[in-house]
Amino acid sequence: MKEKAHVKNSDLKNFIYLFFILFVIWLVLTTSFHWQEIIVGIFISFILALYLHKNYLELGLPKITVKKIIYFIMYIIVLFIEVVKANFDVAYRVLHPKLPIKPGIVIIKTKLKQDIAKTILANSITLTPGTFTLDIEEDELLIHWIYVRSEEEIEATKIIGEKFEKYLRVVFA
Amino acid sequence: MELFGEIITGIGVLFLLLGNFGILRLPDVYNRIQAGTKCTTLGALLTIIGVGILQPAWFWKCLLIAVFILVTNPISSHAIARASRKIGVPLCDRTVVDKSKNFKGFKKQEKK
């Protein structure tokens, strides 16, 4: 009985989170504060949140705390710097007359457990310099690397995954 | 402000051009995807944000579109790469290492 009450409580929380996120997206998309637009927005976000709030739990999103938000913002800043670096890196390789590439496929390991965390890690690896994710299976990621610096599993993990994983590990702890 | 927006859009277009250049020059599917994702991410982001600066009324919409591109771009490239590996598109001859045979998912696929 107690467990059931707990589930209901988290259901309501998920519903409120989802409703809030959807409503903010609606406001940004319409960029209008006319009362008719806002009423339609509330109505649509309410219906969508009613249908989807159970899936929100299945995604395995963690409970939100201040520390996690700070780490997530730091993670986004690191990601953004890496994206810019990635672009200049690939642009350099493409423009260089000798094409300085040394491509290869390596395996790296991750300690993250949740599917959503692994998805975020794989996506950020794809956005960083010279690496992208081919496949994930359990705790292994298959990575294509445009300029292989290390074939060893542990070393490759350190170079490719570590800078994101240390933030994600806190966020999804 | 208008000049600033134009400069940002211009840099974005330059990156898109470099991305296309990479797709033409690099030797195999996987390397081409590298160019296709990396350069187009920043290219598309800068182009869209530049448009947002030129038309201040659209700025927030453009920012939202930029976020969605940042989230979905890796997924599409990942899907293409995974499919090409599964049907066995060969790697180019400059490849130095291929560990996909030691990969857990690969062994599972073999068993089936």
Side-chain angles (χ1 to χ4, degrees), chain B residues 14-26:
Chain B
L14 197 73
F15 270 111
L16 287 174
L17 182 73
L18 286 178
N20 288 336
F21 204 55
I23 288 173
L24 286 176
R25 280 200 71 191
L26 290 168

Side-chain angles (χ1 to χ4, degrees), chain A residues 152-171:
Chain A
E152 291 303 312
E153 200 173 284
I154 300 161
E155 187 125 4
T157 308
K158 222 176 245 171
I159 298 172
I160 299 172
E162 192 54 34
K163 56 196 172 218
F164 297 120
E165 222 184 302
K166 65 182 176 209
Y167 296 112
L168 289 176
R169 231 178 275 149
V170 176
V171 174

Side-chain angles (χ1 to χ4, degrees), chain A residues 70-89:
Chain A
I70 292 169
Y71 266 78
F72 195 67
I73 290 169
M74 274 160 72
Y75 159 76
I76 287 172
I77 293 168
V78 170
L79 177 68
F80 195 75
I81 294 167
E82 291 295 328
V83 168
V84 175
K85 252 164 71 187
N87 280 278
F88 281 103
D89 182 68

Side-chain angles (χ1 to χ4, degrees), chain A residues 1 16-17 21 23 52-53 71 75 79 83 91 103 150 155-156 161:
Chain A
M1 196 65 204
I16 292 166
Y17 280 146
I21 293 167
F23 189 58
L52 299 174
H53 70 281
Y71 266 78
Y75 159 76
L79 177 68
V83 168
S150 166
E155 187 125 4

Side-chain angles (χ1 to χ4, degrees), chain A residues 23-34 37-38, chain B residues 55-64:
Chain A
F23 189 58
V24 168
I25 291 175
W26 173 272
L27 284 182
V28 172
L29 271 179
T30 55
T31 46
S32 131
F33 292 98
H34 195 272
E37 299 255 21
I38 287 177
Chain B
Q55 297 284 340
W58 294 355
F59 183 74
W60 292 106
K61 268 181 230 185
C62 291
L63 212 62
L64 196 66

Side-chain angles (χ1 to χ4, degrees), chain B residues 70-82:
Chain B
L70 205 61
V71 174
T72 52
N73 193 351
I75 296 172
S76 58
S77 70
H78 164 75
I80 298 169
R82 189 163 180 266

Side-chain angles (χ1 to χ4, degrees), chain B residues 19-86:
Chain B
N20 288 336
F21 204 55
I23 288 173
L24 286 176
R25 280 200 71 191
L26 290 168
D28 68 353
V29 179
Y30 307 99
N31 289 310
R32 282 176 181 164
I33 291 171
Q34 295 266 14
T37 46
K38 306 274 146 56
C39 290
T40 50
T41 319
L42 197 63
L45 284 188
L46 288 178
T47 314
I48 288 167
I49 289 171
V51 169
I53 291 169
L54 283 176
Q55 297 284 340
W58 294 355
F59 183 74
W60 292 106
K61 268 181 230 185
C62 291
L63 212 62
L64 196 66
I65 294 168
V67 170
F68 281 133
I69 285 178
L70 205 61
V71 174
T72 52
N73 193 351
I75 296 172
S76 58
S77 70
H78 164 75
I80 298 169
R82 189 163 180 266
S84 13
R85 195 182 68 82
K86 287 220 157 155

